Amino acid sequence: MKLLYNNHHQNRTQRMAFAGLFVILLPIFVPNLFEPLGRASPTMFSEWNAPQPRHSSLLKIALHRQIPTEQQSELWSPLVNQGWRPCAESTGTSSLPKKSRGYVQVFLDGGLNQQRMGICDAVAVAKILNATLVLPHLEVNPVWRDSSSFADIFDVDHFISSLRDEISIVKELPSEYSWSSREYYATGIRDTRIKTAPVHASANWYLENVLPILQSYGIAAIAPFSHRLAFDNLPTNIQHLRCKVNFQALVFVPHIRKLGETIVHLLRHPPGKLQASGTEFHKGRIGDSEVTGAGKFTVLHLRFDKDMAAHSACDFGGGKAEKLALAKYRQVIWQGRVLNSQFTDEELRNQGRCPLTPEEIGLLLAALGFNNGTRLYLASHKVYGGEARISTLQKLFPLMEDKKSIASAEELTKIEGKASLSAAVDYYVSMQSDIFISASPGNMHNALVGHRAYLKLKTIRPNMTLLGKLFLNKSMGWTEFQHAVRNGHKNRLGHIRLRKTKQSIYTYPAPDCMCQS
């Protein structure tokens, strides 16, 4: 008996030791499982319960929808003239100061579109100070870990030449100022660094706080700089300059434009084999797809990453495992300090504070009149929940594409692993699309809404409050849902909205960047 007990005890001890060793070694062999900054993709735990469709009754009818030709024609028709035209053009006369007061450096963090706005503001600040701008330094993004520089993304020569009558820009500092680098400012307190610029600072703040440093040292480095210039109470020429930078001077490098053009061409003119198979597959269901929307495509910016899902504190149908995974993520990243956490899922949805899932954005598009023969380009990073989360959208729009499905591996080589370059390609394709829609607000949404409004292109802005309430109503039928969606989006298709106080000039370009025609 004693021998049996000893054997049992020994085996139990061994099992516990192996279990402990397994727990210790698991993060080494599967690092992404516990990776707190794996923000664009789900953990293994959150995918144990694959999310199921949450609006099955609507989805069942939407999958077999028939869209009247008249509705299709209305959907794809361009915007009517709203009486506004772009007017950020230069006057043609040089307004360069006779002598520069020194060099201005800025260090920009954030993603591509936050940095884009920072570049526009940097040009404006240099103009306010009558200074020479050093080509802005783009910080390594801690989330996407992309080290792409300004010259990797934007055409530097075009940028400088486009603004040559407005401001002096240099690619790098002259030798006597070569010491002024990111490394120099990271190793101590420096007299030439300004780190106290308030958010949305006025022009006077820069004249009172940065100009004296320029006059004393000949150089001033501003970091952090994101959102550090006001949108109101600035001279008209400064506002016009910001518009000119954003809409004319910032052009992507040739290889990004070339890849973007390739994708656009394939979306408008699918290869014969792919087009034929698509027609054959849907022959019995589409009916009217060959009549309208031919040669056209829509871009969907699907922002549904782990950051957004967790920060929203909404329920996305992934069950208890997903709720626990997102709660743990909120604790790790924000120490649980997320404002939305104090509200129930129903309260958040009634307030329009929950991002649309791929299923919900698909139902929105279907209700607006996009049929299942629509060519839909997906502009996004990895979707939280992976293929399981996106499968419903794929069923609604079988001809959905993204960079990897439409371009060759060779064509994608130069942007592989580069989140900013990948976003630049998506931005380019989005600007060429017939219709653009973003599932949730964010920097890319704001940038593209403003840029497309400037060029008078059709852009759908989801009515988040309306949709939150509609999706809570589980008894609503398809006809009622479709009618409510169409009525709630009549004036959300890209119509010009005049900028209000404190609103961004980059999202609302009228009246600062546009003139009444």
Side-chain angles (χ1 to χ4, degrees), residues 337-349:
R337 295 192 296 271
V338 175
L339 180 63
N340 282 3
S341 297
Q342 63 186 293
F343 299 102
T344 65
D345 181 72
E346 184 176 347
E347 288 172 333
L348 290 170
R349 292 187 183 278

Side-chain angles (χ1 to χ4, degrees), residues 275-289:
Q275 193 172 28
S277 65
T279 305
E280 183 66 27
F281 183 74
H282 305 292
K283 205 172 199 177
R285 297 195 290 146
I286 295 176
D288 58 345
S289 67

